[in-house]
Amino acid sequence: MRSGTLLVQRYIIAAIIPYLLMALILLTAILLAQQSGRLAEILMVAHVPTDLLAEFSLSLIPNVLVFALPTAMLVGALVGLSRMGTDSELVAMRAAGIGTWQMLWPVLLLGLGLTAAALWVNMQVAPESARTLRRATIRAALYKMDSPVEPRTFNTEIPGYVIYVKDGDKARGQWGRVFLFAQPKDGPTRLVTARSGRIDSSAERSELVLSDAISTSFPAKEGQGISASRTTERLEQLRFVLDTGRQELLGDLRRDEVRPEEMDWYDLLRAGGTARESRERLTLAYKRLAFSMGPVIFALLGAGLGMRVRKGGRGFGLLLSLAVLLLYYLLSLFGEQLSRSGAVPPLMGTFMANLLTTAWALLLLLKRRGRLYGLSLPAILRRGASRGALASAQGRGRAYERESRRLLGFPSLLDKTVIRAIALSFATVLTALTSLILVFTLFDLWKWIVERGTGARTVLEYLLYLLPFVSVQLASPSMLVAVLISYALMARRSEAVAWWACGQSVFRLALPGLFAAVCAGFLLWTVQERLMPAANLRQDALRAQIRTGTARASTQGGRLWLASTETGRLYSYEYDGTGGKLYDVLIYEFDGEGIHLSRIIKGETADWNAQGRMVLEGVEETTLNGLQIVSRQSARMEMDRSDSTDLFKPWADKPSQLSAKELSAYIKTIRRKGESVAPLMVALQRKYVEPFGVLVMALIGIPLALAFGRRSAVAALSSAVAVGLAFWGMTSGSQQMGVYGFLPPAVAAWAPIVIFGATGTYLLARTRT
C-alpha cells in the first residue's frame, strides 16, 4: 500500500510541475518584457558598455521572481489538480483509499521548495539587485552626459542652456556650426555661435569647448531691448563649465548610503530612526517575509480549490487562479496601507492576506463535501448556447451543402471550432496577462501612492487609461499562447491526424488560426489608432501625478524653439493655442556659411497675413556684422521669407501619443524644421508593423504546437517563449540600429517580421503529417 501511495504522490507532482513551469516561464518572460522599458532608455544612450547593459538586465530578474514564484505555484497546483478532477482521477484515487491529506503532501512539498527559493530571493538577492540597479542607473546617466548632442536637434536638458548643433560627427564627438543660448539666473543673457565644438568631461565636471566662437551678451532685465548694454567678442576657443549634475551623480555613486529597499532583512529590523521610519522599515521587512511564504500558502489554497473542481479543467483552473491572485494582492495592498498608516501593527498588516488565505485553504480542505462545478467558461457558453442549438440544427444540412462551393471550403464546421477555441484562449490569456501586469504596475507605484496620498480614483483612472497600451503590447504573446494551446490540444487528441487523413494539407489546417490572427491584428490596429494615443496622453499625465504629486496637463503654452531648413532661421517664441499667434518672438538669422549670427529680430507678437507671410509687431531689429552691432526699432515688420504656420504648432511629446497619420504629419513638419527624424521614422514604421506581429506569432506557434503538442506541453511553451524572446530581442536591436542610422527605418522595423514570418512558413511546410 505504501508503494502505491508513493506512486500516486509522484503522479500528482508530475501533474502539477508542467503547469508550474509553464506559468513560471511565461510570467517571467512577460514581466521582463514589461520591465524592459527601463532597459530601452539605456539602449538609447550612445557608447554604453556591454557589461552595464548585462548588469542592468540581470538586476531586473529578482524583482520579477518575487512575483512569479508564488503565482506559478498557485497556477500549477490549481490547474493540475483541476485537470485531474475533470478527468475523474481524484475520484479514482479516493476510491482506492488515498485520502485528502495524502494527496496534499506532494503539493505542500513543492510549495516548501518554492518558498525556500522565494526566501533566498526576497532576503538576499532582491536587496542586492536593488543596489545594483541604482548604480547601473547612475552610470547610465553619466554615460548620457558624455554623449554628444544629436545634430539638428535642440538640447534643453542642461539647466539655463539651449544648444543647437547643425551638423557634426556624433561617433567622434565633434559638433559643427553650434548655436548656444545661455540664460543664467544672475547675469546677462549670452548668445554664442561657433564653427565647431565638443564636450570635455573630467572627474566631476563637464566643459563645453567651442572653436572660432563669437559671444554676444544682452541684458536679462525685462523692459530692456537687445541693443542695451551689449558686448561682443570673438575668441579662438571658448569654454563653458556646464552644470549637468555630474558631481551630484558621482556623489550618489560613491556614497555608501543604503536605502530601505536595498537593506537585507536583519538590517531592516535593527535600523533606527523616527517612529515613522521605523514603521516603514518594519513593514518592508515583514512584507518580504510574507511574500516569501506565498508559495506554500498558494500550494495549500491551490490544492483545496483544485480538489473540488469537477468541470472546466485547465481553463477554469486558470481563471480561478487569476481571481485568487487579484484578491490576494489587493488584500496585501490593503494590509500594507493599514500598516504604513499605523492603524495596525506592521506584522499584522503585512500578514493579513496570508492569514486570510490560509484560513480559506484550511476551510476548503477540512470541509469534505462540496465541489466547484458548473462555473467553467466553456460550460457557461454551452449553457448559453443550448437554446439556440435546436433551432440551428435544421440549418446545418444546408450549411454543409454550401461549404463545397466556398473557397477552400472555408469556413467549415471544423474551422469555426478552431477559430472559436483560439478566440476564447486569446481572450482568456490576454485578460490574465493584462491583469497580472496591472497588479505588478500597482505594486511598482505603491510607494509613491502611499507617500503622495494619491486617491483611489486617480489610481483606478490611471490603470483604466493604461489598458490600451498594455493590451497592444501583450497581443502578440497572447496570440502565441492561444495558438499553442489550441493546436497542441488538436495534436494530442489526434484531431490533426484525422484532418490530414481526409486529404487536407497542413496549410489548410493552419488557415483558421491565421484567420483568427488577422482578425486580432485588425482589432489591435483599431485600438492602437483610435484609443491608444489619447489614452497614453492621459495615463502619462496621471503617472506623473502619482509619482510627483503634481497635477500636469498638456498645454499649448511654454517657450518653444524651432529650426527651419527652408529659411535657415532659428525661432524662439511662446505659442497661443487659441488664436494661433506667437508672443515674445525672437528670430535668429545666420551668415552665408550658417555659422555666425547676422541679424536678430525681436517682436512682441507675430501673425500671418493673407499672403502667408509673417508679420511682427513691436519690432526691434539688430544687425550684426562681425563685432559691429546696429539696432533699429519699428512698429511693424513683414518678413520677406516666411515659414508655414504649421511649423510653429506644438505637438505631443511621444510617438505613442500620436496615431500613425498624426505621426506621419509630425515627421513632415520636423523635417521642415531641420531636425533629425530617424527615431520618429522608426516609430512610425513600428506602428505599421505592430499588427503583423500577431500574425507572425501565429505562424510560428502553429508548427511548434503540432511538433511538440504530442510530446510535452512544457517543451512547446518553452520553445515558444524562446522564439518570443528572440523576436523581441531582434526587434529591439534592429530598431536601435534604425535610430542610430545603421539601417533604413523601414528595414529596421520590417526585417524581424519578414525573417520570423519566413521562418514560420518554413517550419509549417516542414511539419510532418
Side-chain angles (χ1 to χ4, degrees):
M1 182 66 182
R2 180 175 177 81
S3 61
T5 302
L6 292 176
L7 182 63
V8 169
Q9 292 176 345
R10 285 198 297 267
Y11 182 82
I12 292 175
I13 292 177
I16 292 175
I17 284 180
Y19 301 106
L20 188 153
L21 291 178
M22 284 192 293
L24 183 61
I25 293 171
L26 181 61
L27 189 59
T28 302
I30 294 295
L31 292 178
L32 279 177
Q34 188 261 349
Q35 291 287 298
S36 64
R38 304 166 75 178
L39 180 60
E41 294 178 0
I42 289 186
L43 289 173
M44 294 295 293
V45 182
H47 311 303
V48 174
T50 307
D51 64 325
L52 178 58
L53 296 180
E55 184 179 12
F56 195 94
S57 303
L58 292 175
S59 63
L60 295 175
I61 296 178
N63 289 328
V64 171
L65 290 178
V66 168
F67 187 79
L69 287 173
T71 304
M73 185 66 247
L74 176 64
V75 173
L78 190 47
V79 176
L81 293 175
S82 298
R83 196 272 306 167
M84 294 176 64
T86 303
D87 295 343
S88 301
E89 294 179 354
L90 295 180
V91 176
M93 290 180 184
R94 288 194 175 96
I98 306 296
T100 299
W101 296 104
Q102 290 175 306
M103 291 187 285
L104 181 63
W105 279 116
V107 185
L108 290 179
L109 184 62
L110 288 175
L112 288 172
L114 288 185
T115 295
L119 277 170
W120 177 64
V121 171
N122 276 283
M123 301 302 177
Q124 182 175 350
V125 182
E128 292 179 358
S129 68
R131 290 192 292 269
T132 302
L133 186 61
R134 180 171 63 89
R135 288 194 297 267
T137 304
I138 295 175
R139 289 177 58 194
L142 291 172
Y143 277 108
K144 186 175 182 179
M145 291 177 183
D146 296 338
S147 300
V149 177
E150 187 77 26
R152 297 183 301 280
T153 59
F154 286 97
N155 185 293
T156 59
E157 296 180 359
I158 303 174
Y161 291 88
V162 177
I163 303 174
Y164 180 77
V165 179
K166 294 186 177 180
D167 45 40
D169 188 347
K170 184 178 179 181
R172 295 170 55 192
Q174 296 292 327
W175 301 346
R177 298 190 294 177
V178 182
F179 170 85
L180 182 142
F181 176 88
Q183 192 172 27
K185 295 181 180 179
D186 299 323
T189 300
R190 297 184 68 181
L191 291 176
V192 181
T193 55
R195 186 176 298 275
S196 62
R198 70 180 189 275
I199 286 185
D200 284 349
S201 296
S202 59
E204 294 187 356
R205 69 176 187 175
S206 298
E207 282 189 330
L208 176 61
V209 182
L210 302 176
S211 301
D212 187 14
I214 295 180
S215 173
T216 305
S217 300
F218 300 99
K221 297 181 180 179
E222 295 184 0
Q224 297 187 11
I226 297 177
S227 59
S229 304
R230 61 190 182 274
T231 58
T232 303
E233 57 181 343
R234 186 160 192 163
L235 303 168
E236 288 295 324
Q237 189 178 83
L238 179 62
R239 289 178 174 266
F240 281 91
V241 177
L242 301 178
D243 183 15
T244 60
R246 182 183 183 88
Q247 185 174 1
E248 290 78 5
L249 289 175
L250 287 172
D252 291 340
L253 192 61
R254 296 166 182 166
R255 200 176 297 121
D256 196 21
E257 181 180 350
V258 181
R259 300 175 181 178
E261 60 269 15
E262 300 170 1
M263 296 180 180
D264 59 31
W265 198 68
Y266 296 103
D267 291 336
L268 286 173
L269 294 178
R270 292 194 300 262
T274 63
R276 181 177 179 180
E277 291 175 347
S278 178
R279 186 169 60 249
E280 292 283 340
R281 293 192 179 98
L282 286 176
T283 300
L284 181 58
Y286 293 138
K287 177 183 174 182
R288 290 182 186 174
L289 183 60
F291 277 11
S292 300
M293 302 299 295
V296 69
I297 294 174
F298 279 156
L300 199 64
L301 180 61
L305 290 172
M307 290 180 185
R308 291 174 172 268
V309 174
R310 295 293 179 268
K311 295 181 181 180
R314 303 175 184 87
F316 180 53
L318 182 61
L319 292 176
L320 194 57
S321 301
L322 175 61
V324 170
L325 285 171
L326 292 177
L327 180 61
Y328 174 81
Y329 285 112
L330 287 177
L331 285 174
S332 297
L333 292 175
F334 178 69
E336 183 181 350
Q337 175 66 19
L338 292 178
S339 175
R340 290 180 182 274
S341 63
V344 297
L347 182 63
M348 181 182 296
T350 52
F351 273 84
M352 178 186 296
N354 288 26
L355 293 175
L356 292 176
T357 305
T358 304
W360 184 20
L362 292 176
L363 181 64
L364 290 172
L365 291 170
L366 293 173
K367 187 179 179 181
R368 298 192 175 187
R369 295 185 178 181
R371 35 168 90 167
L372 296 171
Y373 65 95
L375 297 178
S376 68
L377 186 58
I380 294 173
L381 294 177
R382 284 195 297 269
R383 287 200 296 269
S386 61
R387 296 182 180 180
L390 183 61
S392 61
Q394 297 178 353
R396 291 178 182 171
R398 292 190 297 270
Y400 282 121
E401 294 176 1
R402 290 194 299 267
E403 286 177 5
S404 60
R405 296 194 295 269
R406 296 176 182 147
L407 181 63
L408 299 176
F410 183 84
S412 66
L413 184 60
L414 290 176
D415 292 324
K416 295 177 182 178
T417 302
V418 174
I419 293 173
R420 189 182 301 112
I422 292 176
L424 183 60
S425 299
F426 177 75
T428 303
V429 173
L430 182 62
T431 302
L433 293 179
T434 301
S435 301
L436 292 176
I437 291 296
L438 292 181
V439 171
F440 192 80
T441 303
L442 187 60
F443 266 92
D444 191 34
L445 294 175
W446 191 251
K447 175 183 176 181
W448 289 280
I449 293 173
V450 175
E451 289 181 356
R452 310 296 181 188
T454 308
R457 181 175 180 178
T458 302
V459 176
L460 292 176
E461 187 180 1
Y462 167 69
L463 295 177
L464 177 63
Y465 282 105
L466 186 63
L467 274 177
F469 177 77
V470 174
S471 301
V472 169
Q473 297 298 313
L474 295 177
S476 295
S478 298
M479 178 55 65
L480 178 62
V481 176
V483 167
L484 276 171
I485 293 174
S486 302
Y487 279 89
L489 288 176
M490 291 180 64
R492 184 174 292 273
R493 297 168 181 167
S494 300
E495 294 177 8
V497 176
W499 186 290
W500 296 324
C502 295
Q504 301 290 342
S505 67
V506 67
F507 291 98
R508 180 61 184 82
L509 178 60
L511 182 59
L514 298 179
F515 176 78
V518 170
C519 294
F522 179 77
L523 180 62
L524 185 149
W525 172 261
T526 303
V527 172
Q528 176 183 277
E529 296 301 301
R530 301 290 183 182
L531 299 179
M532 199 171 75
N536 282 348
L537 193 64
R538 181 61 180 156
Q539 64 104 346
D540 285 343
L542 289 170
R543 184 180 181 88
Q545 180 179 349
I546 292 172
R547 293 177 67 98
T548 64
T550 303
R552 296 183 180 181
S554 297
T555 64
Q556 301 287 358
R559 195 78 186 170
L560 302 175
W561 287 83
L562 167 66
S564 171
T565 55
E566 296 181 359
T567 60
R569 298 169 179 153
L570 297 183
Y571 297 88
S572 175
Y573 58 94
E574 293 183 4
Y575 185 81
D576 179 16
T578 57
K581 285 187 177 182
L582 310 183
Y583 291 91
D584 192 14
V585 184
L586 283 169
I587 303 175
Y588 304 97
E589 295 183 349
F590 295 84
D591 56 21
E593 294 182 289
I595 300 175
H596 298 298
L597 291 171
S598 62
R599 188 169 64 158
I600 304 174
I601 303 173
K602 180 180 181 181
E604 295 178 0
T605 63
D607 204 349
W608 283 262
N609 58 19
Q611 290 75 32
R613 292 188 177 182
M614 178 183 287
V615 179
L616 294 94
E617 296 183 357
V619 181
E620 181 180 357
E621 179 184 1
T622 302
T623 303
L624 297 92
N625 185 11
L627 300 181
Q628 297 180 355
I629 300 178
V630 179
S631 299
R632 67 184 184 91
Q633 296 182 352
S634 59
R636 190 172 183 272
M637 174 185 288
E638 180 177 319
M639 303 297 295
D640 53 353
R641 295 178 302 150
S642 299
D643 293 288
S644 171
T645 57
D646 294 335
L647 291 175
F648 295 85
K649 295 180 181 179
W651 291 77
D653 294 334
K654 302 177 182 178
S656 61
Q657 298 172 356
L658 300 172
S659 65
K661 183 178 180 180
E662 292 170 340
L663 183 56
S664 178
Y666 179 46
I667 290 173
K668 293 178 182 178
T669 303
I670 289 295
R671 277 178 172 166
R672 293 165 63 185
K673 291 182 180 181
E675 299 180 15
S676 174
V677 297
L680 297 175
M681 285 295 297
V682 173
L684 177 62
Q685 295 297 324
R686 181 62 186 165
K687 285 183 177 292
Y688 295 141
V689 164
E690 195 73 47
F692 290 92
V694 181
L695 180 62
V696 169
M697 288 296 99
L699 202 57
I700 289 285
I702 291 173
L704 289 177
L706 295 176
F708 292 100
R710 301 178 190 175
R711 307 174 192 173
S712 170
V714 176
L717 185 62
S718 300
S719 59
V721 170
V723 169
L725 290 177
F727 178 74
W728 172 82
M730 185 176 182
T731 300
S732 300
S734 63
Q735 286 180 17
Q736 296 305 316
M737 294 180 71
V739 168
Y740 294 135
F742 297 111
L743 287 176
V747 175
W750 287 93
I753 292 291
V754 173
I755 292 174
F756 277 82
T759 303
T761 304
Y762 173 77
L763 293 176
L764 196 60
R766 298 288 296 177
T767 301
R768 297 181 61 183
T769 61

